[in-house]
Amino acid sequence: MTPPTIETSRLRLRAPRLADKADHVAMWADARVTRFIGGAPRPEDVSWGKFLAAAGLWPVMGYGYWVFADPVSDRLLGMGGLSYFARGVPLLEGVPEAGWAFDADHWGMGLATEAMGAVLAWADRNLDAPEVRCIINPGHGASESVAAKLGFTRIGHHVMEPDPVNVYARARKA
């Protein structure tokens, strides 16, 4: 299975491509982006491996990550969607996990809420999952705000060495 293309008012959610490599690697090399996601800029090989792993979710899980692209240039601005990464977090087992990230030049514009709203609408129509969950590092106010706008509520806490995370859930919308 490959991801469907979804158009929003300001984004194109589409399948990852080899042409996205440079933008993806640059995004994850930025300490601003990784401050609350992993804590340190990623080397190119780690970033590329995670890109490939995210793309590989679709044929295995029937859901996965999209590239969040500019609809005019088709350039990668961010990436996210639904995952199962076997993180060892009991509250994530058996449910799709939402995740999102944008390059720092595109923060504060409501793009994460727009992109993930489209992802969750797709999930509500296409997945047989009673809810979607996500994890957010405590203090990551921007992601906490996005999660709240999308209907997520905090259901628990877990320590993913070395960092604690809060776990949020959002019930499927009929």
Side-chain angles (χ1 to χ4, degrees):
M1 176 177 202
T2 59
T5 300
I6 301 172
E7 301 281 342
T8 71
S9 63
R10 298 178 294 162
L11 295 167
R12 175 177 298 123
L13 283 62
R14 61 161 175 79
R17 298 191 286 247
L18 180 59
D20 298 318
K21 181 181 179 195
D23 289 331
H24 185 267
V25 168
M27 182 176 92
W28 289 103
D30 186 333
R32 296 171 296 173
V33 173
T34 61
R35 177 175 175 212
F36 291 105
I37 307 173
R42 293 181 184 163
E44 182 175 353
D45 63 327
V46 172
S47 180
W48 185 237
K50 289 186 177 284
F51 181 90
L52 295 173
L57 286 164
W58 283 97
V60 175
M61 301 302 299
Y63 56 81
Y65 272 29
W66 282 265
V67 164
F68 302 148
D70 178 278
V72 176
S73 70
D74 207 34
R75 184 177 153 255
L76 180 148
L77 306 178
M79 203 164 170
L82 305 170
S83 65
Y84 175 70
F85 291 132
R87 298 179 188 274
V89 177
L91 287 170
L92 296 178
E93 288 302 316
V95 295
E97 176 189 345
W100 58 88
F102 276 82
D103 71 40
D105 292 339
H106 291 90
W107 290 356
M109 300 176 191
L111 294 175
T113 302
E114 182 176 324
M116 291 307 296
V119 167
L120 293 169
W122 177 89
D124 290 342
R125 290 188 310 273
N126 293 284
L127 297 183
D128 184 23
E131 65 183 16
V132 171
R133 295 184 180 173
C134 69
I135 58 173
I136 301 172
N137 285 50
H140 191 344
S143 279
E144 291 168 339
S145 176
V146 169
K149 289 174 190 173
L150 295 169
F152 285 92
T153 57
R154 186 172 179 259
I155 62 167
H157 180 84
H158 185 82
V159 176
M160 291 178 56
E161 292 301 329
D163 297 317
V165 294
N166 290 321
V167 181
Y168 297 80
R170 175 199 173 269
R172 180 182 183 168
K173 307 277 191 246

